[in-house]
Amino acid sequence: MPIDERRTQLIDAALRLAARDGVEAVTVRGVAQEAGVSLGVVHYCFADKDALLQAMGLSMALVASEPVQSALDGTRGDLRTLAHAAADGLWEGLQPRRHMRLLTFEFATAGVRNRALRPVAQHHLEQTWAMTRGSLEQLAQSGGVRFSMDLDLLARLVAGYIDGIEIAWLIQQDDEVTLASFHALADYVLSLVVDEPDADPA
């Protein structure tokens, strides 16, 4: 099996193991058993457990960003249409990936509790901010605008709002409020837009 496919197989096995038994249950031996491969195969694909955990974090971030990216890539219209399509993408991606989103939050809290996991959790957090920043950049470029807030700060703020909305949904399962919250976040982002080319001069 090509190494890229093998790495994907091992990451999937690690995610299954973490979802079932918790992030701290992810060990090289445990992943090898879950995937039905030898320890040597895991060591060949990942330098150590931290490298495997970082790959898991990237995979979770990519999965979470896919619906929003698809919405931005596949939507035609003005800036408001794009922003609200991204909000719909957040909602559409949340429901079928409930266990994955829960695992994302467990990943973060494990990093708070376990000093050994903290650098890995930090790496995952930075990946999330970077992907959120990328979506905001794409939104701005599509509309030919910029934001009044520093983009790095805005990415952190938006990612934090998304996490809060999703945690509330995981607990309450209130679909209507959750969807409305994502769209309220889209309106907030739009409120920070400046230099819209078609705007009438004040």
Side-chain angles (χ1 to χ4, degrees), residues 94-116:
L94 177 60
Q95 292 178 296
R97 295 175 172 86
R98 180 180 185 277
H99 295 297
M100 185 68 75
R101 297 305 292 145
L102 180 58
L103 181 56
T104 297
F105 300 124
E106 290 175 351
F107 206 85
T109 55
V112 174
R113 292 180 178 276
N114 185 326
R115 287 183 180 274

Side-chain angles (χ1 to χ4, degrees), residues 116-127:
L117 287 175
R118 192 166 300 169
V120 179
Q122 177 67 30
H123 185 74
H124 172 59
L125 184 60
E126 289 169 358
Q127 289 170 334

Side-chain angles (χ1 to χ4, degrees), residues 38 47-48 85 98 120 139 144 147 155 157 185 189 201:
S38 69
D48 53 26
R98 180 180 185 277
V120 179
L139 182 65
F147 297 107
L157 188 64
L185 177 57
V189 170

Side-chain angles (χ1 to χ4, degrees), residues 14-120:
L15 289 170
R16 289 196 306 272
L17 181 61
R20 186 176 68 240
D21 300 327
V23 174
E24 295 190 13
V26 177
T27 63
V28 172
R29 184 176 300 277
V31 171
Q33 291 175 346
E34 182 73 23
V37 300
S38 69
L39 283 173
V41 169
V42 183
H43 284 299
Y44 175 71
C45 293
F46 298 99
D48 53 26
K49 177 182 172 178
D50 283 358
L52 174 59
L53 288 167
Q54 288 180 3
M56 290 170 62
L58 178 58
S59 177
M60 288 188 289
L62 285 169
V63 167
S65 67
E66 282 173 1
V68 174
Q69 192 60 53
S70 295
L72 290 174
D73 290 341
T75 302
R76 296 288 179 270
D78 61 14
L79 190 64
R80 181 167 296 278
T81 300
L82 285 170
H84 284 282
D88 286 331
L90 284 167
W91 171 240
E92 290 164 10
L94 177 60
Q95 292 178 296
R97 295 175 172 86
R98 180 180 185 277
H99 295 297
M100 185 68 75
R101 297 305 292 145
L102 180 58
L103 181 56
T104 297
F105 300 124
E106 290 175 351
F107 206 85
T109 55
V112 174
R113 292 180 178 276
N114 185 326
R115 287 183 180 274
L117 287 175
R118 192 166 300 169
V120 179

Side-chain angles (χ1 to χ4, degrees), residues 12 20 28 32 37 47 60 71 111 130-131 157 160 162 187 191-192 194 199:
D12 288 345
R20 186 176 68 240
V28 172
V37 300
M60 288 188 289
M131 289 184 180
L157 188 64
I162 292 169
D187 283 332
S191 75
L192 299 175
V194 294

